[in-house]
Amino acid sequence: MSISTKYNPKEIEQKWYDSWMQRGFFHSEPNPNKEPYAIVIPPPNVTGVLHMGHMLNNTIQDVLIRRARMQGKEACWVPGTDHASIATEAKVVAMLKERGISKKDLTREEFLKYAWEWKEKYGGIILDQLKKLGASCDWERTRFTMEDDMSAAVTEVFVDLYRKGLIYRGVRMVNWDPLGGTALSDEEVLPKDTMAKMYHLQYAVVGADAAITVATSRPETIMADVAVAVNPKDPRYTHLHGKKVRIPLLGKEIPVILDEYVSIDFGTGALKVTPAHDLNDYELGQKHRLPTIDILNNDGTLNEQAQLYVGQDRFAARRNIVKDLQEAGLLVKIEEYASVLQTSERTGAVIEPRLSMQWFCKMDGMGKPALDAVMNDEIRLHPPKFKNMYRSWMENIRDWCISRQLWWGQRIPAFYLPDGSFVVATTASEALVLARQQSGNEQLQETDLHQDEDVLDTWFSSWLWPISVFNGFKDPDNKDILYYYPTNDLVTAPEILFFWVARMIMAGYEFRKEMPFKNVYLTGIVRDAQGRKMSKSLGNSPDPLDLIEQFGADGVRAGMLFSSPAGNDLLYDDKLVEQGRNFSNKIWNAFRLIKGWEIDESLPCPNQTAISWFESRFNEAFVQIEDHFSKFRISDALLAVYKLVWDDFCSHYLEMIKPAYQQPIDKGTITATVKLLENVLKVLHPFMPFITEEIWHELKERKQKEFLIVAPWPKKDKFDREIIARMEQVLQVVGAVRNIRNSKNIPNNKQLDLYIKVAHHEQYEPFMAIMRKLANLNEIQFVEENLDGAISFIVAGDEFFIPMEGNIDVEAERERLTKELEYTKGFLNSVDKKLSNERFVSGAPEAVISGERKKKADAEAKITAIEQSLAAL
C-alpha cells in the first residue's frame, strides 16, 4: 500500500465528512437505553459568516459532542440560525437600495417577501462553513428562529406573560438607534471610550442684568430644556432661587429649580434639565412635574418642536448651534474631556436616550430563580469567576424593552380597537372574540382591528431556544423535550451572558420549572497579537476558511485550543495554527513509520518493557485528560493529549521499539503498538477528527460501521507508577548522555560506554536494552567507585560515568575547562565582594541576599566539579 509522504488534509477532510453524514453518525433520536447528552448551538445570525470567535466556540462544542458520542451517550448537537431582526433588515434594505427600491415605497408584506428571499439565498452560508470545520451537528434538526413553530412559541409566550401581568406597554426612556430606527435593550448598547467636548453656555437671568453659566455636552438639545437645576446648598446660586432664565438663542423662559441631585463640585454646578433626551433629566422632570419636549425625529433629525435647525441631523445641528452661540457671545468656553459614548451594537450609531411608547417585560420575578440557580451551583459557570458579574447584573436587573420598530421578526400579538384600546391574543380570530367582550360591541369585525406594527426583540425568540428547538411549546410532553431537556452544556461568549444565557435560564424556570442546561462554558475573546479584538473594521482578523485551506481543519482546531483556557482571551497568532499543522504532520509521520515496518512473525518480542511503560503512561495521562474534561479545561485536555502523542508516543516509545535500519519487527510488538495507537487516536479524535479517522482506517481493515467517530471511548485503568517513574529516570539518563555528546562534539553514531554507581542496580536492569538503543551505548556496567578519566553526571541520586579516553581531544577539553574555571572563579569573587560589603548586607532585602548566597554556593559547586573534571583529564 502506498502512503502519502505528506499529510494532505484537502484530500481527506471532505471524504470523511461525507462518510459520517451518509452513515447518519451525527443524527440522534431519543433512546431509553442510552444516557442523553445534548448541546444547543448559540444560533449565529443569518447575516453572519464564519469568524474566529465562531471557530473557537464551535470547535469546543464539537470536542464535547464527539467525546460524548464515543462515550456511548445519545449525543445530540442541535444547529440553527437566528433571524437577527436589526442586522437582517439592514441587509435587506441595502439589497433593495441596489435594486433602486426604497423600503418606504413597500408594504409590510412586500418587504417581508424580499426579506425571505434574502434569507433563503444567504441565511445558510455560516452553517455550511461550520461543516468545513468538522462540526458534527445533527443537521436534520436544523432550526431557524422564524420557522412557523418557533414563531408560534414566541407568540404563545408573549400572550402568557401578558396575561400573568409580566408584559406591559408604556412610555419610558429607551435607547433609541436613529440609524436602525428602533428601540434597543440596555444589553444591545456598547460603550465606547472617546474624547468629547463640554460647552459652557450663558443663560440670561430674567429681570436682572446677570447670567448663569451651564455646561453641556449636547448644545443641540437646549431647545428641549424645561429648567435649570442648582443645588439648594450651593451659595453661588442662592440669589437665583425662584427665578427664571432664558434659553440661549431661543429666548424662551424656563424656571430655576432646586435639587440636591445636582453636584456642587461638577461642572458649573448648574444643570440644564432636558427630560426628553436624558434618563437622569427625565427622572428629575418627573420628580418636579416638568413638561417634556421631544425635539428629535426617529432618524435623529430635529423636528418642528425644536423651532431652530428643523430638519437638520443632530450632529449637523450641533455644529451650527455652536457657531451661532459663538457669534451671539453666549458660548463662554469649550473644554475637552474623556467620555463614554453609548453606541448601537448592530449599527454603530450613537444612541439617543428618548421617551417612547414601547412594550416591556418585567424581570424581577423571573430573575430570582435564575440568580439562585447560578449562585448555588445548580447551573455551573466555567470559569466560576463570572458568577460575581452575573450576580451584579441580576441584582440590578431592569425591565426588558422587548419591542422593536422593524418589520422583520415576530410581530407583537396586540390588536387595537377603533377606540385605541387593545387586546392581546395568539390569533386575529381570538383577538376578535376578546375585543367584542372587552368593548361590548358584537358588531366588530377582524377588519376593524389593527395589529401592532412593531416586532419583538430578537432575543425574545432566542431566550426560548433550548425549549423551542425540541418543540417544547407546541407539545410540552413530546419525546424529544422529555428526553433531551434539560440539555447538558452550553458553550458561549461572556458578552452574551446577560443578553442570552440569563434569559434562557429565566425562561427555563418560568416555562418548564427547571434549568435549561447544567453547565455554561464561557470562552474568551479572540484577539490579535496586540490584544485588540478581531474585527473586519480593524482588518486584523484572518478568514477562517483561508486558514482551513492553508493549515487543514485539524490544524486550525488544535491551534485555536492550544492557548484558550475557559474565560481567558486568546491572543491569536498564525504560529498557533502552524503548530497545529505540525502536530498533524507528526502524527502522520508516526503512522507512516509504523506502517512501513516489515513484520517477521518468527521473531520474539524484545519490547515488553517499553510496551508496559506506554500502557501505564497512557492510563496515567488518560486520568489527567478526564480530570481536565470534568473541570471544562478543554485547552489543558488537548495539551495533555499533545504531550502524550508528541513526547511519549512519538519521541520515546517509537524510538524504543523501532527496529534497526531495514530490519523487520516482531509480530508481538506491532500488534501491541497498533492497539496503543488506536487508544491514542481515540483521545485525539474529538480535537482532530479528520486525520484520526483517516489513520484509524489505514491502520487495519475495518468493518462497515467500525468508524473512529463511534469507537468506544477508553476507560480509566490501573497504571504502574513505578515503571513510569523508572522510565522517567532512564530518559533523564539518555538525555544527559546526549547532552554530553553535543557539548563534546561526539558523533551520534559513535558508541559510548556507561558506568553506573548505584546501591540497587536491579532498578536499571529491565531498561538496559532501551538505554543502549536510545543513547547508542556499547557497554553498561555497575561500579562501586568513581571512575577516573570520565565525565560524570547525577540523576536521582545515582552517579553515572562516561569514559572520555578516545572520545575527546584531551588538550582542547583541558583548555575549555580551564577557561570556564577562570570565568567561574571571577564570578565567585564578584559575589564574595558583594556579600562582604556591610552596607549591602544590612540594606538589601532578604530575598536579594538569599539570591546572592545561592549564586555563591552554585559557583563553588561548579568550581569543584570543573576541578574534578580537570583532575580526571
Side-chain angles (χ1 to χ4, degrees):
M1 181 191 66
S2 174
I3 302 171
S4 173
T5 54
K6 287 189 72 177
Y7 172 63
N8 188 345
K10 292 179 191 175
E11 291 178 0
I12 71 155
E13 288 178 354
Q14 194 62 50
K15 173 183 77 174
W16 288 119
Y17 201 87
D18 290 344
S19 292
W20 295 327
M21 288 280 285
Q22 288 162 10
R23 286 163 179 80
F25 289 137
F26 301 166
H27 184 57
S28 175
E29 289 290 340
N31 184 342
N33 299 317
K34 293 171 74 174
E35 177 187 344
Y37 179 86
I39 294 178
V40 293
I41 199 171
N45 292 348
V46 286
T47 58
V49 292
L50 199 63
H51 59 59
M52 299 299 282
H54 290 133
M55 293 268 280
L56 174 61
N57 182 295
N58 286 282
T59 295
I60 291 167
Q61 289 178 80
D62 197 46
V63 167
L64 294 173
I65 207 78
R66 284 180 181 272
R67 173 172 172 264
R69 192 180 288 122
M70 294 175 75
Q71 286 175 315
K73 297 174 183 176
E74 189 59 47
C76 180
W77 183 11
V78 182
T81 49
D82 189 291
H83 63 275
S85 293
I86 298 172
T88 305
E89 186 144 328
K91 292 279 188 184
V92 176
V93 168
M95 177 188 78
L96 292 171
K97 188 175 181 181
E98 288 177 3
R99 299 182 187 182
I101 304 170
S102 170
K103 178 187 173 184
K104 289 184 285 188
D105 297 331
L106 300 175
T107 64
R108 187 187 198 105
E109 289 68 28
E110 289 169 338
F111 178 82
L112 289 177
K113 185 179 177 183
Y114 284 115
W116 280 105
E117 175 194 323
W118 187 94
K119 185 267 174 189
E120 294 306 319
K121 185 174 181 180
Y122 299 105
I125 289 175
I126 192 165
L127 298 184
D128 288 335
Q129 292 174 329
L130 286 178
K131 293 173 184 176
K132 295 287 185 187
L133 185 65
S136 57
C137 301
D138 186 348
W139 299 109
E140 294 176 44
R141 291 182 175 272
T142 304
R143 305 304 301 263
F144 173 54
T145 53
M146 269 182 66
E147 288 173 22
D148 290 344
D149 286 348
M150 305 282 266
S151 290
V154 171
T155 300
E156 180 185 326
V157 163
F158 183 97
V159 173
D160 176 64
L161 293 178
Y162 176 78
R163 289 174 182 170
K164 290 175 179 173
L166 296 177
I167 283 179
Y168 63 92
R169 184 172 182 257
V171 175
R172 297 287 187 278
M173 182 69 71
V174 298
N175 305 300
W176 186 262
D177 177 350
L179 190 58
T182 183
L184 302 177
S185 66
D186 292 342
E187 294 73 41
E188 292 168 294
V189 177
L190 298 180
K192 287 189 179 177
D193 294 330
T194 186
M195 292 303 294
K197 292 179 179 178
M198 186 67 77
Y199 302 88
H200 292 250
L201 314 180
Q202 281 199 332
Y203 286 62
V205 178
V206 176
D209 187 15
I212 182 172
T213 301
V214 175
T216 179
S217 61
R218 303 197 60 198
E220 72 278 8
T221 64
I222 63 172
M223 292 82 77
D225 289 355
V226 294
V228 168
V230 297
N231 193 303
K233 296 178 181 176
D234 191 337
R236 294 173 295 175
Y237 301 124
T238 306
H239 65 292
L240 295 181
H241 293 189
K243 301 287 187 180
K244 290 186 176 183
V245 295
R246 288 194 181 91
I247 298 174
L249 297 181
L250 197 60
K252 179 181 175 182
E253 295 182 6
I254 54 175
V256 175
I257 63 170
L258 310 178
D259 200 290
E260 291 187 359
Y261 163 77
V262 182
S263 173
I264 295 173
D265 301 327
F266 182 76
T268 64
L271 177 75
K272 67 190 279 298
V273 182
T274 319
H277 301 291
D278 182 274
L279 178 59
N280 295 321
D281 288 9
Y282 173 70
E283 292 173 354
L284 201 59
Q286 292 289 98
K287 179 179 176 182
H288 290 271
R289 298 185 177 180
L290 298 171
T292 298
I293 303 170
D294 184 351
I295 63 167
L296 290 177
N297 294 313
N298 287 351
D299 61 358
T301 58
L302 273 62
N303 63 27
E304 298 290 338
Q305 291 206 75
Q307 299 182 53
L308 306 175
Y309 315 106
V310 175
Q312 292 187 18
D313 176 77
R314 53 192 169 147
F315 297 117
R318 180 181 299 177
R319 290 191 295 272
N320 290 329
I321 197 171
V322 167
K323 179 184 171 188
D324 292 344
L325 287 165
Q326 282 176 321
E327 290 176 356
L330 298 172
L331 180 60
V332 179
K333 63 177 178 177
I334 303 173
E335 292 178 327
E336 282 210 343
Y337 71 105
S339 179
V340 177
L341 206 60
Q342 303 299 326
T343 63
S344 167
E345 183 203 27
R346 290 293 177 214
T347 67
V350 176
I351 291 299
E352 192 64 54
R354 191 160 181 233
L355 281 173
S356 181
M357 176 68 78
Q358 301 289 341
W359 290 89
F360 296 87
C361 184
K362 293 180 181 178
M363 293 278 95
D364 282 351
M366 285 189 281
K368 188 177 187 314
L371 173 60
D372 292 344
V374 170
M375 299 318 295
N376 65 24
D377 286 334
E378 184 178 355
I379 297 172
R380 292 181 178 271
L381 303 187
H382 304 276
K385 69 178 183 180
F386 286 105
K387 284 174 70 173
N388 287 336
M389 186 193 300
Y390 181 87
R391 179 177 61 191
S392 174
W393 187 78
M394 293 296 287
E395 287 178 346
N396 296 284
I397 197 168
R398 297 171 64 175
D399 287 356
W400 174 12
C401 176
I402 56 173
S403 45
R404 298 290 180 269
Q405 289 63 56
L406 302 165
W407 280 349
W408 176 249
Q410 284 97 2
R411 197 169 174 180
I412 289 175
F415 297 82
Y416 296 90
L417 283 67
D419 63 3
S421 62
F422 65 86
V423 295
V424 171
T426 54
T427 63
S429 57
E430 183 190 348
L432 180 60
V433 173
L434 293 174
R436 285 173 175 174
Q437 291 173 357
Q438 181 173 298
S439 66
N441 181 359
E442 292 297 326
Q443 304 306 311
L444 279 177
Q445 301 299 316
E446 279 189 25
T447 52
D448 297 321
L449 305 180
H450 177 69
Q451 188 173 352
D452 199 303
E453 292 291 335
D454 291 352
V455 298
L456 285 157
D457 178 10
T458 300
W459 298 103
F460 198 83
S461 58
S462 52
W463 78 319
L464 310 176
W465 187 247
I467 304 173
S468 58
V469 294
F470 297 118
N471 293 320
F473 291 99
K474 183 180 181 181
D475 181 2
D477 296 315
N478 77 75
K479 63 177 183 176
D480 281 358
I481 193 76
L482 293 177
Y483 183 73
Y484 293 114
Y485 188 96
T487 63
N488 295 74
D489 304 325
L490 178 76
V491 181
T492 190
E495 55 260 42
I496 56 174
L497 180 58
F498 316 123
F499 262 139
W500 190 46
V501 179
R503 288 171 179 162
M504 282 192 292
I505 297 172
M506 291 182 209
Y509 285 106
E510 179 68 23
F511 302 114
R512 290 203 66 86
K513 310 305 179 193
E514 59 181 331
M515 58 187 170
F517 29 72
K518 303 176 182 99
N519 296 286
V520 180
Y521 179 104
L522 296 155
T523 65
I525 295 170
V526 183
R527 299 184 182 277
D528 65 14
Q530 298 175 44
R532 301 175 302 173
K533 185 175 179 179
M534 286 191 164
S535 69
K536 284 183 185 175
S537 58
L538 288 175
N540 63 345
S541 180
D543 184 330
L545 295 181
D546 288 346
L547 291 178
I548 291 172
E549 177 77 12
Q550 187 177 354
F551 299 100
D554 288 327
V556 173
R557 288 166 66 112
M560 293 291 285
L561 290 179
F562 275 139
S563 61
S564 56
N568 291 340
D569 291 351
L570 184 155
L571 293 179
Y572 174 80
D573 191 299
D574 277 348
K575 290 176 183 175
L576 290 172
V577 289
E578 284 175 14
Q579 185 183 1
R581 179 184 61 189
N582 293 344
F583 189 30
S584 295
N585 291 334
K586 184 78 170 179
I587 300 158
W588 186 254
N589 288 334
F591 157 67
R592 285 183 61 241
L593 179 69
I594 295 166
K595 289 296 286 185
W597 291 333
E598 183 185 335
I599 302 167
D600 185 340
E601 299 196 10
S602 67
L603 292 175
C605 174
N607 296 307
Q608 193 52 53
T609 300
I611 292 166
S612 298
W613 165 72
F614 190 77
E615 284 174 345
S616 280
R617 178 68 194 103
F618 176 87
N619 290 334
E620 179 190 44
F622 184 69
V623 170
Q624 297 168 348
I625 292 162
E626 288 290 83
D627 182 59
H628 290 319
F629 269 118
S630 72
K631 294 169 182 171
F632 286 84
R633 296 199 297 246
I634 311 300
S635 181
D636 290 341
L638 172 60
L639 291 172
V641 176
Y642 179 86
K643 185 178 184 305
L644 177 72
V645 175
W646 193 290
D647 296 343
D648 299 317
F649 188 75
C650 296
S651 299
H652 299 323
Y653 174 75
L654 291 182
E655 291 299 312
M656 293 174 194
I657 66 162
K658 184 170 67 174
Y661 180 64
Q662 290 191 336
Q663 295 300 306
I665 195 166
D666 64 281
K667 177 73 171 175
T669 297
I670 201 71
T671 301
T673 301
V674 167
K675 184 181 176 184
L676 293 172
L677 179 54
E678 285 180 336
N679 276 336
V680 167
L681 292 174
K682 286 177 181 180
V683 294
L684 185 56
H685 177 77
F687 303 99
M688 305 177 78
F690 293 109
I691 189 171
T692 51
E693 190 74 79
E694 175 76 1
I695 294 174
W696 175 265
H697 286 270
E698 291 288 350
L699 264 181
K700 65 182 187 183
E701 284 291 319
R702 303 285 177 185
K703 294 176 185 175
Q704 192 174 2
K705 283 209 167 186
E706 193 183 354
F707 277 66
L708 180 57
I709 189 175
V710 288
W713 187 248
K715 297 194 182 303
K716 290 182 184 178
D717 204 348
K718 61 185 179 182
F719 54 90
D720 185 340
R721 294 181 188 277
E722 187 174 345
I723 196 173
I724 293 171
R726 294 275 175 84
M727 185 65 83
E728 179 63 31
Q729 210 166 309
V730 165
L731 292 172
Q732 286 182 39
V733 173
V734 170
V737 174
R738 289 173 174 174
N739 287 339
I740 288 170
R741 283 185 185 276
N742 290 336
S743 66
K744 309 302 180 190
N745 294 316
I746 301 171
N748 289 328
N749 60 2
K750 182 178 178 63
Q751 287 194 321
L752 300 175
D753 293 333
L754 180 69
Y755 294 83
I756 308 173
K757 180 182 171 184
V758 61
H760 304 287
H761 56 76
E762 63 273 6
Q763 72 185 58
Y764 287 100
E765 286 175 349
F767 302 93
M768 302 282 261
I770 291 172
M771 290 168 68
R772 282 193 181 94
K773 190 172 196 176
L774 296 187
N776 193 16
L777 301 174
N778 176 33
E779 187 177 1
I780 301 177
Q781 289 188 32
F782 295 96
V783 296
E784 294 182 358
E785 301 293 333
N786 289 357
L787 204 68
D788 292 335
I791 289 181
S792 66
F793 60 90
I794 295 173
V795 172
D798 299 335
E799 205 163 353
F800 298 81
F801 303 89
I802 299 177
M804 288 292 104
E805 187 176 352
N807 290 322
I808 62 169
D809 181 332
V810 175
E811 287 307 314
E813 181 65 8
R814 181 178 285 117
E815 184 180 346
R816 187 187 71 79
L817 287 171
T818 301
K819 285 181 180 178
E820 191 173 353
L821 181 62
E822 288 174 4
Y823 171 81
T824 309
K825 283 181 174 179
F827 176 77
L828 177 61
N829 186 46
S830 68
V831 175
D832 280 337
K833 281 182 180 178
K834 267 189 183 180
L835 291 172
S836 61
N837 185 325
E838 196 173 317
R839 286 181 62 190
F840 172 77
V841 174
S842 61
E846 182 57 39
V848 173
I849 295 169
S850 296
E852 293 300 316
R853 286 174 179 155
K854 186 177 185 307
K855 288 178 188 176
K856 176 180 168 68
D858 290 345
E860 288 171 341
K862 189 171 183 180
I863 287 169
T864 300
I866 295 171
E867 287 174 340
Q868 287 177 351
S869 294
L870 282 168
L873 288 172

